Amino acid sequence: MSTANKQQVAKEVAGKAAADLIEQGMLVGLGSGSTSFCFISSLIERCAQGLKITAVSTSKKSMEQAKAGNIPIVDINSISHIDVAVDGADEIDKKKRMIKGGGGALLREKIVAGMSQEMIVIVDESKIVDELGKFPLPIEICSFGYNATSHHLKELGYEGKWRKTEDEKFYLTENNNYIFDINFPHSLKNPEIVNQQIKNVPGVIETGFFFNLAGRVVIGYSNGDVQIHS
Ligand code: A5P
C-alpha cells in the first residue's frame, strides 16, 4: 500500500472512532480538513442508522458535506455552547498543544473549539510530534495594511510566505482575510511565548496555535488500530 493510502486508512479509522463517541442529541462542532471529512462521513452513516444530532460547521466544505448527509446545521449565533467539537490537526505534541490551519479554517475552528465542552482531536500517527514548529504556522491576517503586518513579524524574526491560490492571487479565508505561513528555522521550545509575540502584532487576527483546547485525542494508525488518549 502506498504511503498516501496508509495515511488515508489511519484518517478513516480515527474519523470513525470519533463518530462512535457522539451521543444522541448532541450539538456537534464539525472540523475541517481531510480527517474531519472522514469523521463527517462516519457521522452521516451513524445518523442514517438513527443517531439524532445537530451541528455547526467550521467551513463551507464541511457544512455542505453535512447538509448533503442530512445532518441539520444550526446558526452559530443561535447557540451559546457546543457539546463537542471534532477536528483534525497538523501537529500535536504530548501536552496536546497543536498547530492547525493547514486548510485555512483556523479562526472558525478556534471559535468553535472555544465554545465546546470538549474538543476531540482526530489525527493519523504522522501528526504526533515531540516539539511543534516543523509545520509552517498559519496566521490569519487582516488584508488592510498586510505589508506592515508581515514587516512587523519579520522584525520579530518570523519569516514566511503569503498563502496564494494556483493563479498567484492572495488566498482568502472564509472571513475574507489573508494567511501568512510562518516557517520556523527550528522546532519551538516555548510556543506560548511565540504565540503571544505574534498575537501582539497589529493586523494579526489569529494564529494556528491551539493551546488548552484539546480533550480526547483519537489517533488512527495505518494498520487500522486506533488509540484514544484522554
Ligand atoms: C483546517 O484549517 C485545519 O486546521 C485542519 O484541521 C488541519 O489542517 C488538519 O487537516 P487534515 O486532516 O487534512 O490533515
Side-chain angles (χ1 to χ4, degrees), residues 11 32-36 87-90 100-106 109 127:
K11 288 177 183 188
S32 297
S34 55
T35 321
S36 293
D87 204 348
D90 298 304
K100 284 181 53 54
L106 61 145
E109 289 173 342
K127 308 294 183 59

Side-chain angles (χ1 to χ4, degrees), residues 32-94:
S32 297
S34 55
T35 321
S36 293
F37 181 90
C38 296
F39 163 70
I40 297 166
S41 299
S42 294
L43 196 58
I44 290 170
E45 277 176 32
R46 282 205 61 206
C47 290
Q49 289 156 8
L51 178 72
K52 292 217 180 320
I53 56 156
T54 49
V56 292
S57 178
T58 55
S59 64
K60 282 183 195 140
K61 192 169 175 208
S62 295
M63 185 168 70
E64 278 160 17
Q65 185 190 2
K67 276 187 174 168
N70 296 319
I71 295 179
I73 298 290
V74 297
D75 176 358
I76 194 153
N77 291 309
S78 69
I79 55 166
S80 57
H81 82 284
I82 294 163
D83 293 308
V84 63
V86 180
D87 204 348
D90 298 304
E91 285 187 348
I92 182 163
D93 72 6
K94 288 201 179 70

Side-chain angles (χ1 to χ4, degrees), residues 124-171:
D124 65 84
E125 56 199 303
S126 71
K127 308 294 183 59
I128 314 284
V129 297
D130 288 330
E131 287 178 345
L132 300 179
K134 197 167 171 198
F135 191 91
L137 176 74
I139 312 286
E140 183 146 350
I141 287 180
C142 176
S143 59
F144 180 83
Y146 66 90
N147 263 337
T149 307
S150 65
H151 184 71
H152 204 145
L153 288 168
K154 200 172 174 181
E155 279 177 345
L156 291 169
Y158 301 126
E159 307 232 14
K161 277 196 203 125
W162 290 106
R163 199 176 291 187
K164 297 273 178 74
T165 60
E166 272 174 17
D167 51 357
E168 282 301 303
K169 300 216 169 81
F170 275 93
Y171 169 89

